[in-house]
Structures are given as structure tokens and as C-alpha cells.
mmCIF file of all heavy atoms in Angstrom:
data_model
loop_
_atom_site.group_PDB
_atom_site.id
_atom_site.type_symbol
_atom_site.label_atom_id
_atom_site.label_comp_id
_atom_site.label_asym_id
_atom_site.label_seq_id
_atom_site.Cartn_x
_atom_site.Cartn_y
_atom_site.Cartn_z
ATOM 1 N N GLY A 1363 -29.350 10.373 50.599
ATOM 2 C CA GLY A 1363 -29.069 8.940 50.573
ATOM 3 C C GLY A 1363 -28.854 8.451 49.211
ATOM 4 O O GLY A 1363 -28.913 9.169 48.207
ATOM 5 N N SER A 1364 -28.645 7.120 49.101
ATOM 6 C CA SER A 1364 -28.282 6.474 47.864
ATOM 7 C C SER A 1364 -29.494 5.802 47.236
ATOM 8 O O SER A 1364 -30.245 5.133 47.893
ATOM 9 C CB SER A 1364 -27.234 5.362 48.171
ATOM 10 O OG SER A 1364 -26.096 5.921 48.668
ATOM 11 N N TYR A 1365 -29.576 5.917 45.876
ATOM 12 C CA TYR A 1365 -30.520 5.153 45.106
ATOM 13 C C TYR A 1365 -30.031 3.686 45.190
ATOM 14 O O TYR A 1365 -28.849 3.432 45.043
ATOM 15 C CB TYR A 1365 -30.541 5.579 43.667
ATOM 16 C CG TYR A 1365 -31.357 6.748 43.379
ATOM 17 C CD1 TYR A 1365 -30.765 7.991 43.171
ATOM 18 C CD2 TYR A 1365 -32.744 6.634 43.212
ATOM 19 C CE1 TYR A 1365 -31.516 9.105 42.841
ATOM 20 C CE2 TYR A 1365 -33.524 7.770 42.887
ATOM 21 C CZ TYR A 1365 -32.905 8.978 42.728
ATOM 22 O OH TYR A 1365 -33.698 10.087 42.382
ATOM 23 N N GLN A 1366 -30.889 2.778 45.354
ATOM 24 C CA GLN A 1366 -30.617 1.404 45.239
ATOM 25 C C GLN A 1366 -30.884 1.003 43.819
ATOM 26 O O GLN A 1366 -31.997 1.163 43.320
ATOM 27 C CB GLN A 1366 -31.348 0.509 46.187
ATOM 28 C CG GLN A 1366 -31.010 0.724 47.616
ATOM 29 C CD GLN A 1366 -31.869 -0.124 48.558
ATOM 30 O OE1 GLN A 1366 -32.929 -0.641 48.207
ATOM 31 N NE2 GLN A 1366 -31.394 -0.251 49.802
ATOM 32 N N VAL A 1367 -29.846 0.503 43.053
ATOM 33 C CA VAL A 1367 -29.973 0.147 41.611
ATOM 34 C C VAL A 1367 -30.294 -1.295 41.520
ATOM 35 O O VAL A 1367 -29.592 -2.210 42.045
ATOM 36 C CB VAL A 1367 -28.701 0.496 40.898
ATOM 37 C CG1 VAL A 1367 -28.767 -0.014 39.424
ATOM 38 C CG2 VAL A 1367 -28.394 1.901 41.013
ATOM 39 N N ILE A 1368 -31.349 -1.592 40.785
ATOM 40 C CA ILE A 1368 -31.704 -2.980 40.455
ATOM 41 C C ILE A 1368 -31.185 -3.326 39.091
ATOM 42 O O ILE A 1368 -30.596 -4.428 38.868
ATOM 43 C CB ILE A 1368 -33.240 -3.226 40.479
ATOM 44 C CG1 ILE A 1368 -33.753 -3.213 41.984
ATOM 45 C CG2 ILE A 1368 -33.648 -4.527 39.874
ATOM 46 C CD1 ILE A 1368 -33.846 -1.890 42.566
ATOM 47 N N SER A 1369 -31.269 -2.415 38.156
ATOM 48 C CA SER A 1369 -30.761 -2.643 36.831
ATOM 49 C C SER A 1369 -30.466 -1.327 36.162
ATOM 50 O O SER A 1369 -31.224 -0.383 36.236
ATOM 51 C CB SER A 1369 -31.803 -3.379 35.948
ATOM 52 O OG SER A 1369 -31.315 -3.663 34.656
ATOM 53 N N GLY A 1370 -29.278 -1.274 35.497
ATOM 54 C CA GLY A 1370 -28.855 -0.092 34.693
ATOM 55 C C GLY A 1370 -28.787 -0.538 33.248
ATOM 56 O O GLY A 1370 -29.763 -0.937 32.630
ATOM 57 N N TYR A 1371 -27.552 -0.500 32.733
ATOM 58 C CA TYR A 1371 -27.397 -0.953 31.327
ATOM 59 C C TYR A 1371 -27.599 -2.397 31.227
ATOM 60 O O TYR A 1371 -27.308 -3.203 32.155
ATOM 61 C CB TYR A 1371 -25.918 -0.610 30.912
ATOM 62 C CG TYR A 1371 -25.588 -1.203 29.536
ATOM 63 C CD1 TYR A 1371 -26.108 -0.620 28.390
ATOM 64 C CD2 TYR A 1371 -24.825 -2.332 29.404
ATOM 65 C CE1 TYR A 1371 -25.845 -1.152 27.152
ATOM 66 C CE2 TYR A 1371 -24.500 -2.885 28.187
ATOM 67 C CZ TYR A 1371 -25.102 -2.340 27.036
ATOM 68 O OH TYR A 1371 -24.769 -2.871 25.801
ATOM 69 N N ARG A 1372 -28.136 -2.846 30.048
ATOM 70 C CA ARG A 1372 -28.368 -4.267 29.774
ATOM 71 C C ARG A 1372 -27.986 -4.478 28.350
ATOM 72 O O ARG A 1372 -28.509 -3.880 27.412
ATOM 73 C CB ARG A 1372 -29.871 -4.539 29.929
ATOM 74 C CG ARG A 1372 -30.172 -5.834 30.675
ATOM 75 C CD ARG A 1372 -31.673 -6.081 30.606
ATOM 76 N NE ARG A 1372 -32.389 -5.504 31.717
ATOM 77 C CZ ARG A 1372 -33.598 -5.039 31.726
ATOM 78 N NH1 ARG A 1372 -34.355 -5.066 30.619
ATOM 79 N NH2 ARG A 1372 -34.164 -4.547 32.787
ATOM 80 N N CYS A 1373 -27.045 -5.394 28.154
ATOM 81 C CA CYS A 1373 -26.630 -5.736 26.753
ATOM 82 C C CYS A 1373 -27.798 -6.462 26.068
ATOM 83 O O CYS A 1373 -28.634 -7.097 26.756
ATOM 84 C CB CYS A 1373 -25.358 -6.504 26.713
ATOM 85 S SG CYS A 1373 -25.372 -8.228 27.248
ATOM 86 N N PRO A 1374 -27.769 -6.517 24.792
ATOM 87 C CA PRO A 1374 -28.883 -7.206 24.002
ATOM 88 C C PRO A 1374 -29.004 -8.668 24.357
ATOM 89 O O PRO A 1374 -30.156 -9.212 24.525
ATOM 90 C CB PRO A 1374 -28.539 -7.010 22.524
ATOM 91 C CG PRO A 1374 -27.780 -5.702 22.551
ATOM 92 C CD PRO A 1374 -26.961 -5.744 23.839
ATOM 93 N N ALA A 1375 -27.906 -9.352 24.588
ATOM 94 C CA ALA A 1375 -27.971 -10.802 24.910
ATOM 95 C C ALA A 1375 -28.671 -10.962 26.261
ATOM 96 O O ALA A 1375 -29.497 -11.887 26.432
ATOM 97 C CB ALA A 1375 -26.601 -11.458 24.910
ATOM 98 N N THR A 1376 -28.308 -10.180 27.248
ATOM 99 C CA THR A 1376 -28.948 -10.276 28.591
ATOM 100 C C THR A 1376 -30.455 -9.947 28.469
ATOM 101 O O THR A 1376 -31.287 -10.632 29.026
ATOM 102 C CB THR A 1376 -28.252 -9.330 29.595
ATOM 103 O OG1 THR A 1376 -26.894 -9.757 29.809
ATOM 104 C CG2 THR A 1376 -28.949 -9.304 30.921
ATOM 105 N N ASN A 1377 -30.727 -8.882 27.720
ATOM 106 C CA ASN A 1377 -32.139 -8.497 27.596
ATOM 107 C C ASN A 1377 -32.978 -9.657 26.996
ATOM 108 O O ASN A 1377 -34.076 -9.963 27.468
ATOM 109 C CB ASN A 1377 -32.288 -7.266 26.732
ATOM 110 C CG ASN A 1377 -33.543 -6.553 26.890
ATOM 111 O OD1 ASN A 1377 -33.789 -5.943 27.899
ATOM 112 N ND2 ASN A 1377 -34.463 -6.657 25.903
ATOM 113 N N ASN A 1378 -32.412 -10.296 25.979
ATOM 114 C CA ASN A 1378 -33.073 -11.435 25.317
ATOM 115 C C ASN A 1378 -33.245 -12.585 26.235
ATOM 116 O O ASN A 1378 -34.292 -13.192 26.350
ATOM 117 C CB ASN A 1378 -32.386 -11.877 24.033
ATOM 118 C CG ASN A 1378 -32.552 -10.893 22.919
ATOM 119 O OD1 ASN A 1378 -33.440 -10.096 22.896
ATOM 120 N ND2 ASN A 1378 -31.586 -10.904 22.023
ATOM 121 N N LYS A 1379 -32.249 -12.881 27.053
ATOM 122 C CA LYS A 1379 -32.286 -13.949 28.038
ATOM 123 C C LYS A 1379 -33.389 -13.699 29.088
ATOM 124 O O LYS A 1379 -34.154 -14.589 29.384
ATOM 125 C CB LYS A 1379 -30.955 -14.123 28.696
ATOM 126 C CG LYS A 1379 -30.911 -15.276 29.657
ATOM 127 C CD LYS A 1379 -29.538 -15.448 30.274
ATOM 128 C CE LYS A 1379 -29.520 -16.540 31.353
ATOM 129 N NZ LYS A 1379 -28.227 -16.683 32.003
ATOM 130 N N LEU A 1380 -33.446 -12.487 29.571
ATOM 131 C CA LEU A 1380 -34.473 -12.083 30.563
ATOM 132 C C LEU A 1380 -35.821 -12.176 30.007
ATOM 133 O O LEU A 1380 -36.770 -12.544 30.654
ATOM 134 C CB LEU A 1380 -34.170 -10.702 31.084
ATOM 135 C CG LEU A 1380 -32.922 -10.568 31.997
ATOM 136 C CD1 LEU A 1380 -32.679 -9.112 32.350
ATOM 137 C CD2 LEU A 1380 -33.000 -11.430 33.233
ATOM 138 N N ARG A 1381 -36.005 -11.769 28.731
ATOM 139 C CA ARG A 1381 -37.298 -11.940 28.005
ATOM 140 C C ARG A 1381 -37.729 -13.314 27.954
ATOM 141 O O ARG A 1381 -38.910 -13.660 28.206
ATOM 142 C CB ARG A 1381 -37.251 -11.297 26.658
ATOM 143 C CG ARG A 1381 -37.414 -9.814 26.584
ATOM 144 C CD ARG A 1381 -37.378 -9.279 25.163
ATOM 145 N NE ARG A 1381 -38.351 -9.890 24.317
ATOM 146 C CZ ARG A 1381 -39.654 -9.584 24.350
ATOM 147 N NH1 ARG A 1381 -40.127 -8.697 25.192
ATOM 148 N NH2 ARG A 1381 -40.500 -10.165 23.508
ATOM 149 N N GLU A 1382 -36.812 -14.204 27.673
ATOM 150 C CA GLU A 1382 -37.150 -15.682 27.506
ATOM 151 C C GLU A 1382 -37.398 -16.394 28.860
ATOM 152 O O GLU A 1382 -38.182 -17.317 28.867
ATOM 153 C CB GLU A 1382 -36.036 -16.349 26.737
ATOM 154 C CG GLU A 1382 -35.862 -15.961 25.324
ATOM 155 C CD GLU A 1382 -34.564 -16.420 24.689
ATOM 156 O OE1 GLU A 1382 -33.807 -17.161 25.321
ATOM 157 O OE2 GLU A 1382 -34.328 -16.032 23.481
ATOM 158 N N THR A 1383 -36.719 -15.987 29.864
ATOM 159 C CA THR A 1383 -36.781 -16.695 31.145
ATOM 160 C C THR A 1383 -37.403 -16.014 32.280
ATOM 161 O O THR A 1383 -37.735 -16.533 33.301
ATOM 162 C CB THR A 1383 -35.327 -17.134 31.636
ATOM 163 O OG1 THR A 1383 -34.559 -15.946 31.781
ATOM 164 C CG2 THR A 1383 -34.601 -18.010 30.594
ATOM 165 N N GLY A 1384 -37.579 -14.639 32.087
ATOM 166 C CA GLY A 1384 -38.056 -13.823 33.204
ATOM 167 C C GLY A 1384 -39.588 -13.904 33.349
ATOM 168 O O GLY A 1384 -40.271 -14.592 32.602
ATOM 169 N N GLY A 1385 -40.021 -13.168 34.322
ATOM 170 C CA GLY A 1385 -41.440 -13.184 34.647
ATOM 171 C C GLY A 1385 -42.214 -12.061 33.981
ATOM 172 O O GLY A 1385 -43.293 -11.620 34.464
ATOM 173 N N GLY A 1386 -41.680 -11.501 32.881
ATOM 174 C CA GLY A 1386 -42.386 -10.453 32.183
ATOM 175 C C GLY A 1386 -41.803 -9.053 32.513
ATOM 176 O O GLY A 1386 -40.906 -8.974 33.337
ATOM 177 N N GLY A 1387 -42.256 -8.056 31.804
ATOM 178 C CA GLY A 1387 -41.818 -6.691 32.050
ATOM 179 C C GLY A 1387 -40.550 -6.281 31.383
ATOM 180 O O GLY A 1387 -40.004 -5.241 31.559
#
């Protein structure tokens, strides 16, 4: 079967945005 992908590549801007607004991790 297929892996379900939640996140693969993340550009630096997205990573920074997720760090600022996300729930951690």
C-alpha cells in the first residue's frame, strides 16, 4: 500500500511560518 504523506520538503519561509504559528515540533 501507499504511505500517506503529511509533509515532505519544506522551504525555509514555510518552516519559519510553522515555527511561529504552529503547535510545536
Side-chain angles (χ1 to χ4, degrees):
S1364 300
Y1365 279 102
Q1366 292 179 343
V1367 176
I1368 289 79
S1369 182
Y1371 173 74
R1372 223 186 270 149
C1373 73
T1376 295
N1377 199 72
N1378 289 337
K1379 182 179 177 183
L1380 291 173
R1381 279 183 52 76
E1382 293 168 2
T1383 62

